[in-house]
């Protein structure tokens, strides 16, 4: 797997925010620092994985009951991806495929927005 993005490394938060902004109504966002996100999850750790019987019971229960209300916070992995200083580079694609981008990230996002609109995915 490799990333095919601009020559400028981008963060996951920047990537998600750019595409989320295309939809109406815009999704609700909360600006958190990495320290705030990690502090929240340190105080509210996710439940440990259950044993096989517990997982089967929960799955069966979900199949026959109403879905629960969404949690007030995204899952820990998503918070980490979107708030920690992780960037994605195209160096592997450049090195292995001798690939180079023809447009920058903002142009690519705009082309994607135009395509989504033309295909009826955006209003």
């Amino acid at each position: 797997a490799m990333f095919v993005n601009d020559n400028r490394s981008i963060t996951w938060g920047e990537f998600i925010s750019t595409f989320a902004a295309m939809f109406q109504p815009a999704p609700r966002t909360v600006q958190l620092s990495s320290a705030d996100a990690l502090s929240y999850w340190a105080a509210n750790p996710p439940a440990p994985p259950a044993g096989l019987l517990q997982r089967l019971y929960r799955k069966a229960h979900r199949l026959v009951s109403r879905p629960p209300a969404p949690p007030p916070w995204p899952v820990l992995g998503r918070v980490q991806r979107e708030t920690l200083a992780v960037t994605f580079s195209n160096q592997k694609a450049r090195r292995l495929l001798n690939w180079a981008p023809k447009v920058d990230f903002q142009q690519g996002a705009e082309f994607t927005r135009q395509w989504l609109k033309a295909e009826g995915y955006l209003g």
Side-chain angles (χ1 to χ4, degrees):
M2 52 191 86
F3 295 97
V4 288
N5 58 307
D6 192 353
N7 281 330
R8 175 182 64 85
S9 294
I10 62 167
T11 66
W12 186 248
E14 180 182 4
F15 181 86
I16 292 295
S17 298
T18 298
F19 289 97
M22 295 177 187
F23 293 89
Q24 296 300 322
R28 182 181 71 87
T29 60
V30 176
Q31 295 299 318
L32 292 175
S33 70
S34 297
D36 287 341
L38 292 174
S39 174
Y40 172 83
W41 283 106
N44 302 282
L52 178 61
L53 289 177
Q54 289 174 312
R55 290 195 320 257
L56 289 172
Y57 172 79
R58 280 192 221 148
K59 187 167 190 84
H61 187 265
R62 280 194 307 267
L63 290 172
V64 297
S65 62
R66 278 189 186 169
W73 285 80
V75 297
L76 176 59
R78 180 173 174 192
V79 171
Q80 288 175 323
R81 284 190 306 273
E82 294 181 22
T83 62
L84 298 179
V86 175
T87 59
F88 300 91
S89 164
N90 66 18
Q91 291 303 309
K92 186 175 179 182
R94 293 176 70 77
R95 185 180 73 251
L96 295 177
L97 305 175
N98 198 29
W99 173 85
K102 293 185 180 182
V103 298
D104 66 21
F105 175 72
Q106 292 303 324
Q107 289 172 303
E110 176 57 22
F111 291 153
T112 302
R113 187 196 66 74
Q114 291 172 12
W115 179 84
L116 289 168
K117 187 170 178 79
E119 294 295 316
Y121 295 109
L122 297 176

